[in-house]
Amino acid sequence: MKSTWKQMLGASAVAALASIGSAHANVITQDLTLTASGPGSVGYFAFSVSSASQVTSFTSSVLGTGGTAPFDPVLGLFRNDGVLDASDFIASNDDGCPVSTCGPAVSFFNAIIVTNLTAGNYLLAVGDFPFTLAEVLSGQSANARFGPIRLTVSSPDNVLTSQVPLPGTAALFGLGLVGLAGLARRAR
């Protein structure tokens, strides 16, 4: 019985360690809730591209609990070099995504950006219309509308990596190991 617990603990540790740091996928989604004007009124999502590929990024905005109608998402794509400034701007879109791709956006259309990206780190910024470069850079929008928003990034190639916060993931993993060790000890 002791060796079985140790084997299970070891296998769990290897599997969990393999998932810490980043997640590779062809499609990555991130759910955000934007607040009305001020802090939290601009949403950000960081991702990486491992090799050149066409990348599609779009919003899915639906009226959810605690949201206001209408919510009109605007999407911006930036290089993520660690210091966000106007020179990082790549593209933006408002109302360009068909309902068949992004779903309905209450009273407006969702935003979509389709572009070829080289290997590197990128940042999506989303806010409610009108959404300016100054608001992206400051992290605060002056808009009164708020609500849930889903960002989706996809590529036909397996080149996307979401940037998972490592400290929180590692702490959660550590707590799980402590719990498993406690169960193993108790079973003895």
Side-chain angles (χ1 to χ4, degrees), residues 13-183:
V14 168
L17 282 173
S19 68
I20 289 179
S22 60
H24 290 279
N26 287 325
V27 177
I28 302 169
T29 59
Q30 177 69 42
D31 292 326
L32 303 170
T33 299
L34 301 183
T35 63
S37 64
S41 58
V42 176
Y44 298 99
F45 176 61
F47 67 96
S48 298
V49 176
S50 60
S51 62
S53 181
Q54 183 180 56
V55 175
T56 301
S57 306
F58 63 89
T59 63
S60 299
S61 169
V62 296
L63 182 60
T65 305
T68 56
F71 187 80
D72 186 8
V74 178
L75 186 63
L77 176 63
F78 299 82
R79 280 176 208 80
N80 188 0
D81 59 8
V83 180
L84 184 60
D85 59 37
S87 69
D88 295 321
F89 176 79
I90 297 171
S92 68
N93 183 262
D94 173 40
D95 294 343
C97 196
V99 172
S100 60
T101 302
C102 301
V106 186
S107 299
F108 296 96
F109 292 99
N110 280 294
I112 188 168
I113 298 172
V114 180
T115 190
N116 291 318
L117 296 177
T118 59
N121 298 320
Y122 296 92
L123 184 72
L124 287 174
V126 64
D128 187 44
F129 180 85
F131 187 47
T132 67
L133 179 59
E135 290 172 328
V136 171
L137 298 178
S138 73
Q140 297 188 34
S141 170
N143 297 313
R145 295 180 295 235
F146 61 93
I149 189 90
R150 172 171 281 175
L151 298 177
T152 301
V153 182
S154 66
S155 171
D157 308 309
N158 193 18
V159 298
L160 300 175
T161 306
S162 64
Q163 296 176 357
V164 179
L166 185 59
T169 306
L172 188 58
F173 171 69
L175 285 174
L177 283 179
V178 168
L180 283 173
L183 284 174

